[in-house]
Amino acid sequence: MQASQIPAAPRGSWLREHSEIGVSLLLLLLGVLVLTDALTMNVDITQRGPVGPRTVPVVVGVGLLVVAVLLTLDVLRGGRGEAEGGEDIDLSEPSDWRTVLLLAGVFLANAVLIGPLGFPVSGALLFWGSAYALGSRHYDRDPLIAAGLSLVTYFVFDNLLGVPLPGGPLMGVL
């Protein structure tokens, strides 16, 4: 085949073949943002322990930069992501908007109710509502599991981790 007979590559085909570089750029930008935020954080020397509050964000930011560089090198050397073959979904079926809207409503209700009702009550509603939205119909078991999970979460965060969560009207009881 002569050079004049070789079909020209469609415009933008290089970018299509190397689309994972877009993910690399996103990871690079995210890494720079995390590092910038971590390194400009105001830390009082008296608040700092052996491992300061900057440590984890710096490690995450550096990790994001390393992954971005490694992904870019892999793509430029010809590496490609695998096509989605293991999914158990039928792409011809429509989206389940009922579930999406129910979950969005549950999260919005939790955001509104956490202040006046406290985390134990709003968390129980969040856990039970999420289970219901995702298809569980065990009306006798789900509220009990949700209440238990909410109380355990409240105690772990409030007492063990020292992260204060609003207790609401149950503050004196718990």
Side-chain angles (χ1 to χ4, degrees):
M1 191 179 255
Q2 295 178 347
S4 62
Q5 295 175 340
I6 297 175
R11 185 169 173 86
S13 67
W14 188 89
L15 287 176
R16 269 199 194 108
E17 292 175 8
H18 299 90
S19 61
E20 291 93 345
I21 290 181
V23 175
S24 295
L25 287 173
L26 180 67
L27 291 173
L28 180 77
L29 290 174
L30 192 59
V32 168
L33 177 70
V34 169
L35 279 175
T36 302
D37 195 37
L39 296 175
T40 59
M41 182 186 307
N42 285 334
V43 178
D44 187 13
I45 193 69
T46 60
Q47 295 175 343
R48 214 178 124 209
V51 176
R54 291 182 179 161
T55 305
V56 172
V58 167
V59 168
V60 169
V62 169
L64 286 167
L65 294 178
V66 168
V67 169
V69 169
L70 291 175
L71 179 61
T72 302
L73 290 174
D74 182 53
V75 170
L76 292 177
R77 289 181 179 166
R80 300 283 303 161
E82 290 184 29
E84 292 185 42
E87 294 287 331
D88 285 347
I89 59 170
D90 185 4
L91 296 176
S92 64
E93 289 291 320
S95 298
D96 186 6
W97 287 106
R98 179 182 179 273
T99 301
V100 172
L101 292 175
L102 280 172
L103 282 173
V106 166
F107 283 109
L108 182 62
N110 183 55
V112 170
L113 296 175
I114 197 168
L117 296 181
F119 183 82
V121 175
S122 70
L125 292 173
L126 170 72
F127 295 137
W128 176 78
S130 297
Y132 178 83
L134 293 172
S136 179
R137 297 298 183 260
H138 297 280
Y139 299 115
D140 54 342
R141 183 182 67 184
D142 289 346
L144 296 174
I145 293 173
L149 187 59
S150 179
L151 288 173
V152 167
T153 304
Y154 177 76
F155 281 120
V156 166
F157 274 86
D158 199 54
N159 296 335
L160 298 178
L161 297 176
V163 177
L165 294 175
L170 296 177
M171 184 62 91
V173 177
L174 298 175

